[in-house]
mmCIF file of all heavy atoms in Angstrom:
data_model
loop_
_atom_site.group_PDB
_atom_site.id
_atom_site.type_symbol
_atom_site.label_atom_id
_atom_site.label_comp_id
_atom_site.label_asym_id
_atom_site.label_seq_id
_atom_site.Cartn_x
_atom_site.Cartn_y
_atom_site.Cartn_z
ATOM 1 N N THR A 1 51.294 -160.525 62.879
ATOM 2 C CA THR A 1 51.855 -161.845 62.571
ATOM 3 C C THR A 1 51.032 -162.986 63.154
ATOM 4 O O THR A 1 51.354 -164.147 62.938
ATOM 5 C CB THR A 1 53.295 -161.967 63.109
ATOM 6 O OG1 THR A 1 53.270 -161.861 64.537
ATOM 7 C CG2 THR A 1 54.189 -160.908 62.509
ATOM 8 N N ARG A 2 49.992 -162.628 63.910
ATOM 9 C CA ARG A 2 49.137 -163.628 64.557
ATOM 10 C C ARG A 2 49.967 -164.551 65.442
ATOM 11 O O ARG A 2 49.833 -165.767 65.428
ATOM 12 C CB ARG A 2 48.332 -164.405 63.526
ATOM 13 C CG ARG A 2 47.423 -163.479 62.718
ATOM 14 C CD ARG A 2 46.655 -164.219 61.699
ATOM 15 N NE ARG A 2 45.655 -165.039 62.383
ATOM 16 C CZ ARG A 2 44.667 -165.641 61.776
ATOM 17 N NH1 ARG A 2 44.536 -165.559 60.480
ATOM 18 N NH2 ARG A 2 43.816 -166.357 62.470
ATOM 19 N N SER A 3 50.859 -163.937 66.207
ATOM 20 C CA SER A 3 51.724 -164.696 67.108
ATOM 21 C C SER A 3 51.656 -164.053 68.490
ATOM 22 O O SER A 3 51.146 -162.949 68.655
ATOM 23 C CB SER A 3 53.166 -164.690 66.599
ATOM 24 O OG SER A 3 53.675 -163.364 66.584
ATOM 25 N N GLY A 4 52.190 -164.749 69.464
ATOM 26 C CA GLY A 4 52.236 -164.183 70.800
ATOM 27 C C GLY A 4 52.351 -165.253 71.857
ATOM 28 O O GLY A 4 52.534 -166.435 71.557
ATOM 29 N N TRP A 5 52.247 -164.784 73.101
ATOM 30 C CA TRP A 5 52.342 -165.704 74.223
ATOM 31 C C TRP A 5 51.426 -165.237 75.344
ATOM 32 O O TRP A 5 51.013 -164.076 75.381
ATOM 33 C CB TRP A 5 53.779 -165.843 74.719
ATOM 34 C CG TRP A 5 54.418 -164.529 75.114
ATOM 35 C CD1 TRP A 5 55.207 -163.738 74.324
ATOM 36 C CD2 TRP A 5 54.333 -163.872 76.378
ATOM 37 N NE1 TRP A 5 55.610 -162.626 75.019
ATOM 38 C CE2 TRP A 5 55.088 -162.683 76.284
ATOM 39 C CE3 TRP A 5 53.696 -164.151 77.574
ATOM 40 C CZ2 TRP A 5 55.217 -161.784 77.344
ATOM 41 C CZ3 TRP A 5 53.823 -163.258 78.631
ATOM 42 C CH2 TRP A 5 54.577 -162.095 78.504
ATOM 43 N N SER A 6 51.119 -166.147 76.233
ATOM 44 C CA SER A 6 50.283 -165.850 77.394
ATOM 45 C C SER A 6 50.773 -166.702 78.560
ATOM 46 O O SER A 6 51.064 -167.881 78.394
ATOM 47 C CB SER A 6 48.827 -166.185 77.088
ATOM 48 O OG SER A 6 48.013 -165.916 78.202
ATOM 49 N N VAL A 7 50.878 -166.061 79.735
ATOM 50 C CA VAL A 7 51.290 -166.760 80.953
ATOM 51 C C VAL A 7 50.193 -166.572 81.999
ATOM 52 O O VAL A 7 49.709 -165.461 82.215
ATOM 53 C CB VAL A 7 52.638 -166.221 81.477
ATOM 54 C CG1 VAL A 7 52.958 -166.802 82.855
ATOM 55 C CG2 VAL A 7 53.758 -166.541 80.489
ATOM 56 N N LEU A 8 49.815 -167.654 82.638
ATOM 57 C CA LEU A 8 48.806 -167.635 83.688
ATOM 58 C C LEU A 8 49.427 -168.143 84.982
ATOM 59 O O LEU A 8 50.033 -169.215 85.014
ATOM 60 C CB LEU A 8 47.621 -168.540 83.312
ATOM 61 C CG LEU A 8 46.538 -168.697 84.376
ATOM 62 C CD1 LEU A 8 45.836 -167.376 84.640
ATOM 63 C CD2 LEU A 8 45.547 -169.766 83.951
ATOM 64 N N VAL A 9 49.262 -167.340 86.041
ATOM 65 C CA VAL A 9 49.761 -167.706 87.366
ATOM 66 C C VAL A 9 48.551 -167.865 88.281
ATOM 67 O O VAL A 9 47.677 -167.004 88.309
ATOM 68 C CB VAL A 9 50.707 -166.628 87.932
ATOM 69 C CG1 VAL A 9 51.196 -167.003 89.324
ATOM 70 C CG2 VAL A 9 51.875 -166.391 86.992
ATOM 71 N N ARG A 10 48.525 -168.940 89.019
ATOM 72 C CA ARG A 10 47.513 -169.151 90.055
ATOM 73 C C ARG A 10 48.249 -169.140 91.382
ATOM 74 O O ARG A 10 49.297 -169.779 91.515
ATOM 75 C CB ARG A 10 46.792 -170.483 89.841
ATOM 76 C CG ARG A 10 46.004 -170.495 88.535
ATOM 77 C CD ARG A 10 45.635 -171.886 88.058
ATOM 78 N NE ARG A 10 46.707 -172.878 88.007
ATOM 79 C CZ ARG A 10 47.633 -172.954 87.057
ATOM 80 N NH1 ARG A 10 47.668 -172.086 86.091
ATOM 81 N NH2 ARG A 10 48.555 -173.892 87.088
ATOM 82 N N GLY A 11 47.715 -168.386 92.336
ATOM 83 C CA GLY A 11 48.437 -168.318 93.588
ATOM 84 C C GLY A 11 47.678 -167.636 94.696
ATOM 85 O O GLY A 11 46.507 -167.283 94.565
ATOM 86 N N LEU A 12 48.395 -167.444 95.788
ATOM 87 C CA LEU A 12 47.840 -166.833 96.989
ATOM 88 C C LEU A 12 48.346 -165.402 97.086
ATOM 89 O O LEU A 12 49.553 -165.164 97.021
ATOM 90 C CB LEU A 12 48.277 -167.619 98.227
ATOM 91 C CG LEU A 12 47.832 -167.049 99.570
ATOM 92 C CD1 LEU A 12 46.322 -167.134 99.711
ATOM 93 C CD2 LEU A 12 48.523 -167.781 100.706
ATOM 94 N N ALA A 13 47.425 -164.462 97.234
ATOM 95 C CA ALA A 13 47.788 -163.055 97.389
ATOM 96 C C ALA A 13 47.823 -162.715 98.871
ATOM 97 O O ALA A 13 46.974 -163.159 99.650
ATOM 98 C CB ALA A 13 46.786 -162.163 96.670
ATOM 99 N N GLU A 14 48.824 -161.925 99.251
ATOM 100 C CA GLU A 14 48.984 -161.542 100.654
ATOM 101 C C GLU A 14 49.499 -160.111 100.716
ATOM 102 O O GLU A 14 50.514 -159.781 100.094
ATOM 103 C CB GLU A 14 49.970 -162.484 101.332
ATOM 104 C CG GLU A 14 50.290 -162.108 102.745
ATOM 105 C CD GLU A 14 51.302 -163.044 103.380
ATOM 106 O OE1 GLU A 14 52.248 -163.469 102.700
ATOM 107 O OE2 GLU A 14 51.130 -163.318 104.576
ATOM 108 N N GLU A 15 48.801 -159.263 101.469
ATOM 109 C CA GLU A 15 49.280 -157.898 101.653
ATOM 110 C C GLU A 15 50.466 -157.918 102.606
ATOM 111 O O GLU A 15 50.447 -158.589 103.637
ATOM 112 C CB GLU A 15 48.188 -156.991 102.203
ATOM 113 C CG GLU A 15 48.673 -155.562 102.344
ATOM 114 C CD GLU A 15 47.625 -154.583 102.824
ATOM 115 O OE1 GLU A 15 46.495 -155.010 103.141
ATOM 116 O OE2 GLU A 15 47.941 -153.385 102.892
ATOM 117 N N ILE A 16 51.490 -157.173 102.255
ATOM 118 C CA ILE A 16 52.681 -157.053 103.096
ATOM 119 C C ILE A 16 52.531 -155.793 103.935
ATOM 120 O O ILE A 16 52.328 -154.699 103.405
ATOM 121 C CB ILE A 16 53.957 -156.991 102.235
ATOM 122 C CG1 ILE A 16 54.073 -158.246 101.371
ATOM 123 C CG2 ILE A 16 55.194 -156.794 103.100
ATOM 124 C CD1 ILE A 16 54.078 -159.555 102.141
ATOM 125 N N THR A 17 52.619 -155.955 105.237
ATOM 126 C CA THR A 17 52.444 -154.845 106.176
ATOM 127 C C THR A 17 53.661 -154.766 107.094
ATOM 128 O O THR A 17 54.502 -155.684 107.103
ATOM 129 C CB THR A 17 51.180 -155.061 107.035
ATOM 130 O OG1 THR A 17 51.399 -156.189 107.892
ATOM 131 C CG2 THR A 17 49.944 -155.295 106.165
ATOM 132 N N PRO A 18 53.770 -153.705 107.898
ATOM 133 C CA PRO A 18 54.877 -153.617 108.857
ATOM 134 C C PRO A 18 54.919 -154.783 109.848
ATOM 135 O O PRO A 18 55.947 -155.017 110.476
ATOM 136 C CB PRO A 18 54.629 -152.287 109.566
ATOM 137 C CG PRO A 18 53.866 -151.475 108.564
ATOM 138 C CD PRO A 18 52.993 -152.465 107.836
ATOM 139 N N ALA A 19 53.825 -155.540 109.968
ATOM 140 C CA ALA A 19 53.806 -156.694 110.863
ATOM 141 C C ALA A 19 54.656 -157.850 110.316
ATOM 142 O O ALA A 19 55.004 -158.758 111.060
ATOM 143 C CB ALA A 19 52.374 -157.167 111.092
ATOM 144 N N HIS A 20 54.971 -157.814 109.029
ATOM 145 C CA HIS A 20 55.831 -158.846 108.440
ATOM 146 C C HIS A 20 57.291 -158.563 108.793
ATOM 147 O O HIS A 20 57.631 -157.465 109.233
ATOM 148 C CB HIS A 20 55.658 -158.886 106.911
ATOM 149 C CG HIS A 20 54.374 -159.516 106.492
ATOM 150 N ND1 HIS A 20 53.198 -158.810 106.394
ATOM 151 C CD2 HIS A 20 54.077 -160.784 106.138
ATOM 152 C CE1 HIS A 20 52.235 -159.611 106.000
ATOM 153 N NE2 HIS A 20 52.741 -160.831 105.844
ATOM 154 N N ARG A 21 58.135 -159.551 108.568
ATOM 155 C CA ARG A 21 59.569 -159.376 108.819
ATOM 156 C C ARG A 21 60.100 -158.176 108.041
ATOM 157 O O ARG A 21 59.745 -157.966 106.876
ATOM 158 C CB ARG A 21 60.338 -160.624 108.386
ATOM 159 C CG ARG A 21 60.014 -161.871 109.178
ATOM 160 C CD ARG A 21 60.901 -163.054 108.755
ATOM 161 N NE ARG A 21 61.293 -163.076 107.365
ATOM 162 C CZ ARG A 21 60.686 -163.789 106.417
ATOM 163 N NH1 ARG A 21 59.656 -164.526 106.715
ATOM 164 N NH2 ARG A 21 61.118 -163.766 105.183
ATOM 165 N N ALA A 22 60.957 -157.413 108.663
ATOM 166 C CA ALA A 22 61.527 -156.218 108.019
ATOM 167 C C ALA A 22 62.225 -156.579 106.713
ATOM 168 O O ALA A 22 62.150 -155.831 105.727
ATOM 169 C CB ALA A 22 62.488 -155.520 108.979
ATOM 170 N N GLU A 23 62.879 -157.746 106.689
ATOM 171 C CA GLU A 23 63.594 -158.176 105.482
ATOM 172 C C GLU A 23 62.623 -158.408 104.327
ATOM 173 O O GLU A 23 62.897 -158.046 103.190
ATOM 174 C CB GLU A 23 64.392 -159.450 105.818
ATOM 175 C CG GLU A 23 65.120 -160.073 104.650
ATOM 176 C CD GLU A 23 64.311 -161.194 104.000
ATOM 177 O OE1 GLU A 23 63.494 -161.824 104.681
ATOM 178 O OE2 GLU A 23 64.502 -161.413 102.799
ATOM 179 N N LEU A 24 61.445 -158.984 104.608
ATOM 180 C CA LEU A 24 60.442 -159.224 103.571
ATOM 181 C C LEU A 24 59.866 -157.902 103.068
ATOM 182 O O LEU A 24 59.694 -157.706 101.865
ATOM 183 C CB LEU A 24 59.324 -160.130 104.098
ATOM 184 C CG LEU A 24 58.209 -160.455 103.096
ATOM 185 C CD1 LEU A 24 58.765 -161.205 101.898
ATOM 186 C CD2 LEU A 24 57.110 -161.253 103.773
ATOM 187 N N VAL A 25 59.588 -156.992 103.969
ATOM 188 C CA VAL A 25 59.086 -155.670 103.583
ATOM 189 C C VAL A 25 60.118 -154.970 102.699
ATOM 190 O O VAL A 25 59.788 -154.418 101.641
ATOM 191 C CB VAL A 25 58.746 -154.817 104.824
ATOM 192 C CG1 VAL A 25 58.401 -153.389 104.436
ATOM 193 C CG2 VAL A 25 57.608 -155.459 105.623
ATOM 194 N N ALA A 26 61.373 -155.010 103.086
ATOM 195 C CA ALA A 26 62.445 -154.350 102.320
ATOM 196 C C ALA A 26 62.592 -154.970 100.930
ATOM 197 O O ALA A 26 62.748 -154.253 99.937
ATOM 198 C CB ALA A 26 63.764 -154.426 103.083
ATOM 199 N N ARG A 27 62.549 -156.299 100.839
ATOM 200 C CA ARG A 27 62.651 -156.966 99.534
ATOM 201 C C ARG A 27 61.485 -156.594 98.639
ATOM 202 O O ARG A 27 61.652 -156.348 97.441
ATOM 203 C CB ARG A 27 62.686 -158.486 99.711
ATOM 204 C CG ARG A 27 64.043 -159.043 100.000
ATOM 205 C CD ARG A 27 64.156 -160.557 99.833
ATOM 206 N NE ARG A 27 62.967 -161.293 99.506
ATOM 207 C CZ ARG A 27 62.408 -162.217 100.293
ATOM 208 N NH1 ARG A 27 62.936 -162.514 101.468
ATOM 209 N NH2 ARG A 27 61.339 -162.866 99.906
ATOM 210 N N THR A 28 60.290 -156.567 99.216
ATOM 211 C CA THR A 28 59.089 -156.241 98.445
ATOM 212 C C THR A 28 59.163 -154.811 97.918
ATOM 213 O O THR A 28 58.985 -154.568 96.726
ATOM 214 C CB THR A 28 57.831 -156.432 99.313
ATOM 215 O OG1 THR A 28 57.783 -157.798 99.754
ATOM 216 C CG2 THR A 28 56.565 -156.111 98.536
ATOM 217 N N GLU A 29 59.452 -153.873 98.794
ATOM 218 C CA GLU A 29 59.534 -152.468 98.389
ATOM 219 C C GLU A 29 60.762 -152.215 97.519
ATOM 220 O O GLU A 29 60.778 -151.285 96.708
ATOM 221 C CB GLU A 29 59.519 -151.562 99.608
ATOM 222 C CG GLU A 29 58.184 -151.624 100.338
ATOM 223 C CD GLU A 29 58.135 -150.783 101.600
ATOM 224 O OE1 GLU A 29 59.154 -150.150 101.962
ATOM 225 O OE2 GLU A 29 57.056 -150.759 102.231
ATOM 226 N N GLY A 30 61.773 -153.069 97.643
ATOM 227 C CA GLY A 30 62.995 -152.942 96.860
ATOM 228 C C GLY A 30 62.823 -153.252 95.388
ATOM 229 O O GLY A 30 63.731 -152.998 94.595
ATOM 230 N N THR A 31 61.668 -153.790 95.003
ATOM 231 C CA THR A 31 61.428 -154.035 93.578
ATOM 232 C C THR A 31 61.344 -152.723 92.815
ATOM 233 O O THR A 31 61.491 -152.714 91.589
ATOM 234 C CB THR A 31 60.135 -154.836 93.344
ATOM 235 O OG1 THR A 31 59.020 -154.078 93.814
ATOM 236 C CG2 THR A 31 60.198 -156.202 94.007
ATOM 237 N N GLY A 32 61.081 -151.624 93.526
ATOM 238 C CA GLY A 32 60.979 -150.327 92.865
ATOM 239 C C GLY A 32 59.724 -150.164 92.039
ATOM 240 O O GLY A 32 59.633 -149.266 91.207
ATOM 241 N N LEU A 33 58.738 -150.994 92.279
ATOM 242 C CA LEU A 33 57.500 -150.946 91.507
ATOM 243 C C LEU A 33 56.811 -149.596 91.651
ATOM 244 O O LEU A 33 56.584 -149.124 92.756
ATOM 245 C CB LEU A 33 56.554 -152.066 91.973
ATOM 246 C CG LEU A 33 55.164 -152.095 91.357
ATOM 247 C CD1 LEU A 33 55.240 -152.287 89.848
ATOM 248 C CD2 LEU A 33 54.336 -153.190 91.999
ATOM 249 N N THR A 34 56.523 -148.981 90.524
ATOM 250 C CA THR A 34 55.731 -147.753 90.508
ATOM 251 C C THR A 34 54.460 -148.021 89.727
ATOM 252 O O THR A 34 54.424 -148.884 88.850
ATOM 253 C CB THR A 34 56.492 -146.581 89.859
ATOM 254 O OG1 THR A 34 56.843 -146.957 88.527
ATOM 255 C CG2 THR A 34 57.756 -146.238 90.637
ATOM 256 N N THR A 35 53.420 -147.282 90.041
ATOM 257 C CA THR A 35 52.138 -147.480 89.366
ATOM 258 C C THR A 35 51.934 -146.413 88.304
ATOM 259 O O THR A 35 52.471 -145.312 88.401
ATOM 260 C CB THR A 35 50.976 -147.432 90.370
ATOM 261 O OG1 THR A 35 50.978 -146.163 91.014
ATOM 262 C CG2 THR A 35 51.111 -148.533 91.408
ATOM 263 N N TRP A 36 51.154 -146.755 87.304
ATOM 264 C CA TRP A 36 50.831 -145.805 86.247
ATOM 265 C C TRP A 36 49.612 -144.971 86.623
ATOM 266 O O TRP A 36 49.522 -143.817 86.255
ATOM 267 C CB TRP A 36 50.535 -146.537 84.950
ATOM 268 C CG TRP A 36 51.711 -147.192 84.305
ATOM 269 C CD1 TRP A 36 52.955 -147.405 84.842
ATOM 270 C CD2 TRP A 36 51.765 -147.727 82.995
ATOM 271 N NE1 TRP A 36 53.764 -148.043 83.950
ATOM 272 C CE2 TRP A 36 53.057 -148.253 82.797
ATOM 273 C CE3 TRP A 36 50.857 -147.827 81.966
ATOM 274 C CZ2 TRP A 36 53.454 -148.860 81.609
ATOM 275 C CZ3 TRP A 36 51.243 -148.428 80.789
ATOM 276 C CH2 TRP A 36 52.529 -148.938 80.617
ATOM 277 N N ALA A 37 48.672 -145.577 87.328
ATOM 278 C CA ALA A 37 47.427 -144.878 87.666
ATOM 279 C C ALA A 37 47.709 -143.809 88.716
ATOM 280 O O ALA A 37 48.547 -144.002 89.602
ATOM 281 C CB ALA A 37 46.403 -145.876 88.194
ATOM 282 N N PRO A 38 47.011 -142.689 88.617
ATOM 283 C CA PRO A 38 47.204 -141.647 89.629
ATOM 284 C C PRO A 38 46.621 -142.077 90.965
ATOM 285 O O PRO A 38 45.823 -143.013 91.041
ATOM 286 C CB PRO A 38 46.435 -140.453 89.046
ATOM 287 C CG PRO A 38 45.416 -141.064 88.138
ATOM 288 C CD PRO A 38 46.028 -142.323 87.604
ATOM 289 N N GLY A 39 47.036 -141.386 92.005
ATOM 290 C CA GLY A 39 46.499 -141.664 93.336
ATOM 291 C C GLY A 39 47.475 -142.442 94.183
ATOM 292 O O GLY A 39 48.537 -142.875 93.735
ATOM 293 N N GLU A 40 47.086 -142.614 95.417
ATOM 294 C CA GLU A 40 47.910 -143.310 96.405
ATOM 295 C C GLU A 40 47.744 -144.828 96.233
ATOM 296 O O GLU A 40 46.633 -145.338 96.228
ATOM 297 C CB GLU A 40 47.497 -142.891 97.815
ATOM 298 C CG GLU A 40 48.225 -143.616 98.913
ATOM 299 C CD GLU A 40 49.748 -143.477 98.814
ATOM 300 O OE1 GLU A 40 50.226 -142.389 98.463
ATOM 301 O OE2 GLU A 40 50.442 -144.471 99.088
ATOM 302 N N HIS A 41 48.842 -145.506 96.071
ATOM 303 C CA HIS A 41 48.858 -146.969 95.939
ATOM 304 C C HIS A 41 49.842 -147.528 96.961
ATOM 305 O O HIS A 41 50.803 -148.198 96.607
ATOM 306 C CB HIS A 41 49.249 -147.378 94.524
ATOM 307 C CG HIS A 41 48.249 -146.994 93.491
ATOM 308 N ND1 HIS A 41 48.182 -145.743 92.944
ATOM 309 C CD2 HIS A 41 47.244 -147.703 92.935
ATOM 310 C CE1 HIS A 41 47.200 -145.694 92.071
ATOM 311 N NE2 HIS A 41 46.608 -146.880 92.052
ATOM 312 N N GLY A 42 49.586 -147.249 98.227
ATOM 313 C CA GLY A 42 50.533 -147.581 99.277
ATOM 314 C C GLY A 42 50.454 -148.985 99.831
ATOM 315 O O GLY A 42 51.187 -149.318 100.756
ATOM 316 N N HIS A 43 49.582 -149.815 99.282
ATOM 317 C CA HIS A 43 49.457 -151.191 99.776
ATOM 318 C C HIS A 43 50.239 -152.120 98.863
ATOM 319 O O HIS A 43 50.036 -152.155 97.658
ATOM 320 C CB HIS A 43 47.986 -151.614 99.826
ATOM 321 C CG HIS A 43 47.184 -150.809 100.794
ATOM 322 N ND1 HIS A 43 47.020 -151.180 102.108
ATOM 323 C CD2 HIS A 43 46.536 -149.633 100.647
ATOM 324 C CE1 HIS A 43 46.291 -150.279 102.726
ATOM 325 N NE2 HIS A 43 45.988 -149.323 101.864
ATOM 326 N N TRP A 44 51.153 -152.874 99.476
ATOM 327 C CA TRP A 44 52.000 -153.818 98.748
ATOM 328 C C TRP A 44 51.419 -155.218 98.896
ATOM 329 O O TRP A 44 51.110 -155.654 100.009
ATOM 330 C CB TRP A 44 53.412 -153.796 99.305
ATOM 331 C CG TRP A 44 54.127 -152.503 99.050
ATOM 332 C CD1 TRP A 44 54.041 -151.360 99.790
ATOM 333 C CD2 TRP A 44 55.030 -152.230 97.992
ATOM 334 N NE1 TRP A 44 54.840 -150.392 99.253
ATOM 335 C CE2 TRP A 44 55.470 -150.910 98.147
ATOM 336 C CE3 TRP A 44 55.525 -152.981 96.921
ATOM 337 C CZ2 TRP A 44 56.371 -150.303 97.268
ATOM 338 C CZ3 TRP A 44 56.419 -152.389 96.057
ATOM 339 C CH2 TRP A 44 56.835 -151.067 96.227
#
């Protein structure tokens, strides 16, 4: 149909580690995000 949409986000990326507030770590991991690619993807 030659239709569609595109969204662009510009921002600051920050790795979440145990050094962050426990509440922030829990919220981040609480998204339930899983990866499609094989292998370990343990960095949030």
Side-chain angles (χ1 to χ4, degrees):
T1 63
R2 300 179 70 168
S3 63
W5 56 265
S6 179
V7 171
L8 175 65
V9 179
R10 296 162 310 282
L12 177 67
E14 175 182 39
E15 182 177 4
I16 301 303
T17 67
H20 286 86
R21 295 184 328 262
E23 176 264 333
L24 180 62
V25 172
R27 276 195 356 244
T28 301
E29 294 177 358
T31 63
L33 175 61
T34 58
T35 60
W36 290 12
E40 176 56 39
H41 294 82
H43 296 269
W44 293 83

